Amino acid sequence: MADIGTAGIGTAGIGTAGNGATDNGATDVRQYLRGLAVFAGELPDFDPDAAPDRPETLFLDWLTGAVDAGVREPHAMTLSTVGADGTPSARALLLKNVDRHGWQFAANAASPKGRDLAANPVAALSFYWPQQARQVRVTGSVAPEPAENSAADFLARPPGSRAEAVAGRQSQPLHDVRELERATELALERVEREPGLVVPEWTLYTVRAERVEFWQADKQRRHTRLCYLREGAEGAEGAGWTRGRLWP
């Protein structure tokens, strides 16, 4: 593999002198990135005027469209949180459910993201489906689901995933991989012995969206953006969503 350093990217790894190579034979990173294809292939149509009244309805339509287009892990998303010290953090994880109440994901409440949410119960979710050049952004407040819902989510996970959670110590320094292997083996044995075992800290969270944006790329950069904004408290008279287009 070519190294990336101050001199650029080695041409042996990614390019030739005709692709932004510098005098010293290394490809300039900026030129290399500019040369990568974007929005390749046919892109789907999106008519904001025909969009449904609620954002979760459109989201599910786009999600199933991503599945049909062959997008890998179409339910993968980036969860962004903010710590008690104001430092932002982002990581990829899987969407568990979406309905009129919000978007759901699960995490250990003792993990860094769990601690972030305890300090600042707000989050942003982002989805990107490159085969269709579509992006969805969700922002809102976050609340934990009742313990029985979190337990049901945990028990629905594969044994290996439950064992990883039982082993715990997420994000702590790992000094010897053999320690991880042993802890995982012991945790899996416990999961097999106790099929109803639930990690108390395992939590199902719901993002109650206040803003949801749908972004459809255009090859000429005339991207289509549709933004939904929540009005009023859920269940209150007159509550609902307004929607409107945004400049690219």
Side-chain angles (χ1 to χ4, degrees), residues 7-9 11 14 19-22 26-34:
I9 305 178
T11 56
I14 60 167
N19 187 27
T22 59
T27 302
D28 177 76
V29 176
R30 184 185 300 274
Q31 292 301 319
Y32 173 65
L33 295 176
R34 284 184 177 276

Side-chain angles (χ1 to χ4, degrees), residues 39 81 89 121 187 218-219 241:
F39 310 145
T81 56
S89 184
D218 176 79
K219 293 180 184 291
W241 294 88

Side-chain angles (χ1 to χ4, degrees), residues 114-196:
R115 296 195 298 271
D116 282 359
L117 292 170
N120 291 302
V122 293
L125 309 176
S126 58
F127 300 80
Y128 183 60
W129 300 308
Q131 287 88 334
Q132 299 176 303
R134 282 179 166 177
Q135 178 181 202
V136 180
R137 301 166 60 199
V138 181
T139 56
S141 59
V142 182
E145 287 292 304
E148 58 269 25
N149 294 351
S150 296
D153 176 83
F154 184 83
L155 294 174
R157 293 166 65 85
S161 297
R162 281 181 278 152
E164 181 272 333
V166 169
R169 302 177 64 179
Q170 187 182 72
S171 299
Q172 295 181 20
L174 176 63
H175 302 291
D176 188 339
V177 70
R178 291 173 297 182
E179 185 179 2
L180 169 63
E181 294 170 350
R182 181 56 179 160
T184 302
E185 290 174 0
L186 292 174
L188 186 57
E189 291 174 1
R190 186 180 178 192
V191 166
E192 292 171 346
R193 290 195 313 270
E194 305 174 48

Side-chain angles (χ1 to χ4, degrees), residues 168-237:
R169 302 177 64 179
Q170 187 182 72
S171 299
Q172 295 181 20
L174 176 63
H175 302 291
D176 188 339
V177 70
R178 291 173 297 182
E179 185 179 2
L180 169 63
E181 294 170 350
R182 181 56 179 160
T184 302
E185 290 174 0
L186 292 174
L188 186 57
E189 291 174 1
R190 186 180 178 192
V191 166
E192 292 171 346
R193 290 195 313 270
E194 305 174 48
L197 175 66
V198 174
V199 173
E201 295 81 11
W202 191 258
T203 306
L204 186 65
Y205 294 95
T206 297
V207 178
R208 183 183 183 275
E210 298 293 337
R211 177 188 175 104
V212 184
E213 181 187 324
F214 295 82
W215 180 91
Q216 172 65 68
D218 176 79
K219 293 180 184 291
Q220 303 304 316
R221 303 307 193 267
R222 294 191 294 267
H223 310 310
T224 301
R225 296 175 63 190
L226 179 65
C227 181
Y228 287 78
L229 295 175
R230 184 185 292 275
E231 285 193 334
E234 186 175 356
E237 184 177 355

